Amino acid sequence: TLMRSSAASDVYKRQLLNNQNLGYFLFVYSIIILGDFMKIIDKLMYHAILLFVIGGLFGYFFETLQQLFKTGKIINRQGLWFSVFKPIYGIGLILLTILLFKLKDKNIFIIFIAGVLIGAVFEYIASLFQEYVFHTKSWDYSKMNANLDGRINLLYSFVWGILSLAWVKLGIPLYNKLFNFVYGNIYSKTFCIIILAFLVFDITFTCIVTKRYSDRKRGIDATSNLDKYLDKYYKNSVFEKKFPNMKIKT
């Protein structure tokens, strides 16, 4: 009986040791998985910021040059209150990169058609979002042929296709070199964090000012101290100088 009790005790100790080893293994494995996950998040953040900045800057210069050739005048086409970035182009470039990256080795016609479809759907949804959230619109194709609700137009959808093709075939290889050059550098990481914080602030402030401008134009009185502050320092004339192309959707 004593020998059986001793054997049972030894088995119990081995099981306990194995359980402790298993617990330690799971703990270490969880730390490794968490570390890998954080690295993925870090890399995605880098990509998102870089692509947004590249797309946003491109959109500003693209539309500014477009207006210059069209009217002979330099018209302010910035997309945010404190910076020139055009969010629709920044977000659009992120979307195109995600959806078209796997098509980089496909026929150029396939990439072009995919870019047309992605650009058209994205532009339509962006227009709907702007209208229903802010009651404003930044573009209107209703006077052009082959438009859908004035939100998208066949010509500009083709432009999305051409830009998508250029980005996939020419832009992405250059972008990958840029990313590999800056990723992991402590200075670039600090810069990206600063840019991210600035963009969050700029986008938030722009949304707040735009919403109050829209409410004012639609005859909605100020109901908070913030509304009164915006009415005093960010009048309609100030807003319209900053965003001359934005119209109220009634």
Side-chain angles (χ1 to χ4, degrees):
T1 304
L2 189 60
M3 291 179 64
R4 289 178 183 175
S5 176
S6 177
S9 177
D10 290 341
V11 170
Y12 174 76
K13 289 178 180 179
R14 284 196 297 270
Q15 289 177 342
L16 182 61
L17 182 61
N18 288 336
N19 288 337
Q20 289 177 337
N21 289 338
L22 177 61
Y24 176 76
F25 171 77
L26 290 175
F27 173 75
V28 173
Y29 184 73
S30 299
I31 295 296
I32 293 173
I33 292 297
L34 180 61
D36 291 340
F37 177 74
M38 293 306 295
K39 288 180 181 178
I40 293 173
I41 295 298
D42 182 65
K43 185 170 286 190
L44 288 176
M45 184 189 76
Y46 259 88
H47 278 302
I49 294 172
L50 282 176
L51 289 171
F52 185 90
V53 168
I54 292 170
L57 284 174
F58 170 82
Y60 170 75
F61 289 112
F62 177 74
E63 291 198 0
T64 299
L65 290 174
Q66 184 185 41
Q67 290 297 313
L68 180 62
F69 290 134
K70 186 176 180 180
T71 65
K73 300 178 181 178
I74 297 179
I75 300 175
N76 184 23
R77 301 293 293 178
Q78 70 186 86
L80 296 173
W81 193 267
F82 296 109
S83 61
V84 299
F85 301 117
K86 300 283 289 187
I88 189 170
Y89 289 90
I91 298 172
L93 188 60
I94 294 173
L95 191 64
L96 289 174
T97 303
I98 293 172
L99 297 178
L100 295 180
F101 181 76
K102 290 186 178 181
L103 300 179
K104 64 182 185 300
D105 297 323
K106 297 292 184 180
N107 184 281
I108 60 173
F109 181 73
I110 294 176
I111 298 173
F112 172 78
I113 294 300
V116 169
L117 294 175
I118 293 169
V121 172
F122 172 63
E123 193 170 16
Y124 193 93
I125 293 174
S127 177
L128 276 176
F129 176 82
Q130 183 178 355
E131 178 181 333
Y132 285 104
V133 174
F134 300 105
H135 300 281
T136 63
K137 56 182 180 180
S138 296
W139 63 90
D140 183 3
Y141 304 132
S142 58
K143 295 181 180 180
M144 300 179 67
N145 294 326
N147 76 85
L148 180 60
D149 300 329
R151 303 182 190 282
I152 58 175
N153 166 270
L154 186 60
L155 174 62
Y156 283 98
S157 294
F158 281 169
V159 171
W160 276 102
I162 294 170
L163 292 177
S164 298
L165 183 58
W167 174 247
V168 170
K169 291 298 185 181
L170 302 175
I172 288 181
L174 293 175
Y175 168 77
N176 284 334
K177 292 180 180 179
L178 172 65
F179 181 84
N180 292 330
F181 177 74
V182 302
Y183 180 67
N185 185 298
I186 185 63
Y187 299 108
S188 63
K189 179 174 286 190
T190 302
F191 181 72
C192 278
I193 292 173
I194 293 173
I195 288 293
L196 177 61
F198 171 74
L199 285 174
V200 169
F201 169 75
D202 200 4
I203 291 171
T204 302
F205 187 84
T206 302
C207 289
I208 292 172
V209 174
T210 301
K211 186 64 169 63
R212 183 56 203 148
Y213 167 76
S214 173
D215 289 347
R216 254 193 332 261
K217 294 289 282 188
R218 290 180 295 122
I220 300 176
D221 294 331
T223 57
S224 67
N225 290 331
L226 176 60
D227 289 344
K228 294 175 183 177
Y229 174 83
L230 294 174
D231 289 350
K232 181 177 181 181
Y233 294 103
Y234 299 93
K235 301 179 184 296
N236 293 348
S237 57
V238 176
F239 185 92
E240 290 162 2
K241 184 178 180 180
K242 183 77 69 171
F243 304 116
N245 206 51
M246 190 175 294
K247 307 299 179 185
I248 298 298
K249 183 71 175 180
T250 56

